[in-house]
Each structure stands twice: as structure tokens, then as C-alpha cells.
Amino acid sequence: MIVVIVLFVIMFALGMVILSGKGDNLIAGYNTASEEERKEVNVKRLRIVVAGICILTPILIGIPVFIGKEGDASLHLFTAFCVILMTIIGLVLANTWCKRK
């Protein structure tokens, strides 16, 4: 329970830092990109996508803990499926919606 709360606080704070625009160097791939590659990315949209993943992931992981069903395997499987699906959607959005046209 404590680990989930600590994870939630850290990931939520990380999401807020990225969303505020102060954590662009924390975004993997963007921090190592050249200036030419950075010009092809809409940073505001990328911040929204990455911050959304950072905020929603600990919420999804904490659902079984906070409703008191830590031992329910089907709920953990559903949570894992949701996290994987959210990550795939985030990757697709980061490579399509966040690109400048």
C-alpha cells in the first residue's frame, strides 16, 4: 500500500512538472534530439501526452489496492491490460498528433 502511494506521488509530481513546461528534458527522446528534430515536434502536445501517461499510470496501478482487492488476479490482469493499452495509445499519439505538419 505504501509503495503504491509513493509511486502515485512521484509519478503525479513528475506529470505536473512535465505539464508545466519545466520538465522537457525528462521526456525520453526529446532530450537527446537535435534542434532540427525538435522543430518537427509540437512540444505542448507532447507534454500533454507524456503527462497524461505519468498521471494515469499510478491511478490504474492503485485501483486494486485502494478498493481493497489486492489478491484478485482478474483485476490485476485488467489493470495491466489498461496500462499497456494506454501506453500504446500514448506512443501512437506522440508519433502522430505531436508532430508538426
Side-chain angles (χ1 to χ4, degrees):
M1 175 84 164
I2 294 174
V3 173
V4 174
I5 293 171
V6 169
L7 174 71
F8 177 80
V9 170
I10 291 171
M11 292 293 287
F12 187 81
L14 182 65
M16 289 294 117
V17 168
I18 290 172
L19 196 58
S20 70
K22 306 279 187 212
D24 290 344
N25 288 330
L26 298 174
I27 300 174
Y30 185 76
N31 62 348
T32 59
S34 66
E35 282 298 319
E36 295 171 1
E37 292 171 331
R38 287 185 183 197
K39 289 179 183 177
E40 296 176 7
V41 177
N42 187 336
V43 181
K44 291 180 183 179
R45 290 182 178 181
L46 185 62
R47 287 179 194 147
I48 292 169
V49 170
V50 173
I53 291 172
C54 287
I55 292 169
L56 290 176
T57 300
I59 291 172
L60 288 173
I61 291 172
I63 287 173
V65 174
F66 292 125
I67 65 172
K69 295 191 176 187
E70 296 98 1
D72 189 5
S74 62
L75 187 58
H76 286 291
L77 188 62
F78 176 73
T79 301
F81 174 75
C82 288
V83 169
I84 291 170
L85 183 65
M86 182 184 59
T87 304
I88 291 171
I89 291 170
L91 288 171
V92 169
L93 284 175
N95 287 304
T96 56
W97 186 59
C98 299
K99 297 284 183 179
R100 293 188 192 260
K101 295 181 171 110

